[in-house]
Amino acid sequence: MSWRYDVVVVGAGIAGPIVARNVARAGYSVLLIDKKAAIGTPKQCAEGISIKVFDKYDIPYDKRFINREIYGAKLYSPSGYELEMRYKEVSGVILERKVFDKMLAYYAAKAGADVLARTEATDIIRKDGKIAGIKAKHEGEPVEIYADVIVAADGVESTIARKAGINTYAPPHEFDSSYEYEMLIEGFDPDLIHLWFGNEVAPRGYVWVFPKDEDRANVGIGINSDNPQTAKYYLDKWLKENNIPAKKLLEINVGLVPVGGFVKELAKDNVVVVGDAARQVNPMHGGGMGEAMNAATIASKWIVKALEEENISLLQNYTKEWWEKDGKRLEKVLKVRHVTEKLTDEDLDLFIQILSGADTEKIAGGDYGEVIKALLKHPKVILSPRRIKLLKQLL
Ligand SMILES: Cc1cc2nc3c(=O)[nH]c(=O)nc-3n(C[C@H](O)[C@H](O)[C@H](O)COP(=O)(O)OP(=O)(O)OC[C@H]3O[C@@H](n4cnc5c(N)ncnc54)[C@H](O)[C@@H]3O)c2cc1C
């Protein structure tokens, strides 16, 4: 079997369907494939996303994939200090990704793209020294898919970009290992997401409770993947220590989250890499859906331009544009993460205590200036040379 398209997109998670939809809307032929038999299933996600993405990326606010609207966050320090950031308006939602991913693929199909589940890309096709397409298996049958542009949106374990000669290597330290139960749980305000910090709780990361219902939530953990202990060990320990019974588990998910190692070269010849495959994730909290949507929007703009002008070298502008704004922004966040990794439990306690008196709205909006201002006012910070040194590393 052999097919031909203008663009083939490998991976129908978040980034892939958005690229496919945007390129199809511009009138080009697109094939979106995913190796999963049911797009979106299984999920590997806590499903939390900002409310802003719906308007920004032209995604319908459809109740079919929204489990719960969220009004803010509550942070807990190792000794139990709390920082609550609650808004009058909805600030985010907990999605049902099994439905969301499938609907994103549906929007791509409605825009004109072909979409094939249970279709796995296995290799790159080279002709006369150039990449001409991909080899795939569609329902077990081999197929050759020829395309002018190939998009690797195949997630954290991406193979396609690497096979095309793009360096996607990142050291193990730049990944978080995560473990998550979707379970019945009570006693937490279901209008907020809840995050627990501490070197004994979740080294480098946090434990989360993201409510999907009054009494049902994604309860998970992310820790540095080079930790000698497993993420499951820390999550089960946290549940036990907090007397939370783990006997009503509806789902168990395991996954890796890239938290650094952003890919330098996002386009090589006619191959483009986007989303987790390009490590386009916020390295502080591990949220990657919004970043994947953003990168997919930039990538699709340059794919359309390259096709319109019959000039594949225009794809390089995707690398340029993403790095100039978003790459720079995420590198700064990574710098902050490298500093926060060094915080002791005592630092974390103090940090949360101090921030509870600062402008939490600005902090929640990612205003690190506000965080530093609040910290620099506190005598326990000013009088500690080690803490001052850590703060200086942020500036
Ligand atoms: C436990 C966990 C919790 C998370 N929680 C959040 C959260 O709350 N909020 C948030 O914003 N982010 C979260 N993330 C991160 C988020 O899930 C990812 O950043 C996001 O899904 C990236 O989208 P993507 O399209 O790049 O990749 P994915 O969503 O991973 O999609 C890649 C797709 O490619 C397909 N694929 C792979 N290889 C092939 C192949 N060879 N052929 C065909 N198809 C292929 C896969 O089946 C998959 O469907 C979490 C991650 C984990 C692991």
Side-chain angles (χ1 to χ4, degrees):
M1 260 190 312
S2 164
W3 302 326
R4 154 116 225 131
Y5 286 86
D6 294 323
V7 179
V8 61
V9 181
V10 180
I14 303 292
I18 294 196
V19 172
R21 179 199 67 180
N22 294 358
V23 174
R25 275 182 182 167
Y28 293 96
S29 66
V30 187
L31 173 63
L32 171 66
I33 64 168
D34 203 290
K35 63 183 178 185
K36 290 176 179 166
I39 288 174
T41 305
K43 72 156 193 233
Q44 284 174 301
C45 194
E47 305 178 287
I49 197 160
S50 158
I51 191 77
K52 291 181 188 152
V53 301
F54 296 94
D55 277 351
K56 195 167 175 194
Y57 302 109
D58 190 19
I59 298 167
Y61 193 70
D62 189 327
K63 296 278 180 204
R64 280 175 290 183
F65 47 68
I66 293 165
N67 277 296
R68 196 162 183 90
E69 294 181 328
I70 296 294
Y71 290 82
K74 197 162 175 181
L75 276 49
Y76 303 80
S77 81
S79 305
Y81 294 105
E82 295 175 4
L83 168 63
E84 187 177 293
M85 295 174 277
R86 188 189 294 268
Y87 309 104
K88 289 190 191 77
E89 309 284 323
V90 174
S91 59
V93 298
I94 308 302
L95 295 165
E96 183 63 28
R97 273 206 62 181
K98 287 182 200 126
V99 183
F100 186 64
D101 289 20
K102 198 188 273 184
M103 292 295 273
L104 291 183
Y106 164 66
Y107 304 140
K110 268 169 72 101
D114 284 350
V115 179
L116 293 177
R118 202 181 264 163
T119 304
E120 179 169 6
T122 52
D123 212 341
I124 292 284
I125 303 172
R126 289 177 199 272
K127 284 250 152 82
D128 306 324
K130 286 191 180 153
I131 293 171
I134 55 165
K135 287 184 186 169
K137 277 203 168 151
H138 170 59
E139 298 206 70
E141 290 292 314
V143 52
E144 294 196 335
I145 307 165
Y146 291 89
D148 294 332
V149 179
I150 292 121
V151 179
D154 47 347
V156 64
E157 283 159 26
S158 168
T159 53
I160 291 303
R162 202 175 59 241
K163 284 186 171 157
I166 297 178
N167 182 6
T168 56
Y169 174 78
H173 189 66
E174 299 302 340
F175 292 90
D176 273 357
S177 288
S178 53
Y179 204 84
E180 181 180 77
Y181 300 124
E182 183 175 328
M183 60 186 275
L184 270 66
I185 187 166
E186 281 176 349
F188 300 101
D189 184 336
D191 292 336
L192 303 174
I193 57 166
H194 302 263
L195 312 174
W196 286 261
F197 297 90
N199 291 301
E200 299 299 318
V201 175
R204 216 234 339 245
Y206 54 90
V207 165
W208 66 76
V209 169
F210 281 18
K212 294 182 83 164
D213 225 323
E214 296 278 335
D215 57 357
R216 179 171 62 104
N218 288 323
V219 180
I221 190 169
I223 64 165
N224 56 315
S225 72
D226 50 0
N227 194 293
Q229 268 302 355
T230 62
K232 175 177 164 49
Y233 163 83
Y234 279 103
L235 181 61
D236 288 345
K237 181 161 97 62
W238 180 83
L239 287 166
K240 207 166 164 210
E241 284 170 4
N242 288 283
N243 298 317
I244 300 169
K247 279 282 162 71
K248 294 179 196 278
L249 308 181
L250 308 175
E251 276 193 42
I252 301 176
N253 311 117
V254 190
L256 270 184
V257 183
V259 284
F262 315 116
V263 170
K264 293 274 173 252
E265 191 184 30
L266 297 171
K268 189 179 165 79
D269 305 321
N270 57 344
V271 180
V272 162
V273 57
V274 66
D276 272 19
R279 322 298 180 216
Q280 290 159 322
V281 175
N282 184 306
M284 192 73 188
H285 54 61
M289 286 191 279
E291 297 295 342
M293 290 172 185
N294 173 57
T297 306
I298 304 171
S300 47
K301 179 177 88 184
W302 288 109
I303 293 169
V304 169
K305 282 223 163 88
L307 293 171
E308 272 169 6
E309 297 184 24
E310 296 182 14
N311 180 359
I312 283 299
S313 74
L314 287 177
L315 294 178
Q316 299 305 325
N317 289 326
Y318 158 49
T319 300
K320 205 163 159 258
E321 184 175 334
W322 187 85
W323 266 104
E324 265 171 19
K325 192 167 159 270
D326 302 295
K328 266 194 199 153
R329 171 177 55 84
L330 291 182
E331 289 274 16
K332 274 192 202 153
V333 179
L334 181 60
K335 204 170 129 188
V336 176
R337 199 210 77 208
H338 284 148
V339 174
T340 57
E341 271 181 57
K342 295 179 197 149
L343 299 181
T344 62
D345 279 2
E346 206 189 316
D347 292 333
L348 288 165
D349 280 336
L350 183 63
F351 192 68
I352 293 211
Q353 265 178 291
I354 297 172
L355 291 191
S356 56
D359 185 338
T360 49
E361 196 143 339
K362 278 193 185 162
I363 292 169
D367 187 340
Y368 293 116
E370 191 62 30
V371 175
I372 292 169
K373 241 171 43 197
L375 293 171
L376 282 173
K377 276 190 204 149
H378 202 279
K380 275 199 181 160
V381 176
I382 299 169
L383 296 175
S384 160
R386 185 183 61 82
R387 286 177 181 145
I388 288 288
K389 197 172 147 205
L390 286 176
L391 275 176
K392 275 192 181 151
Q393 289 170 24
L394 294 177
L395 302 170

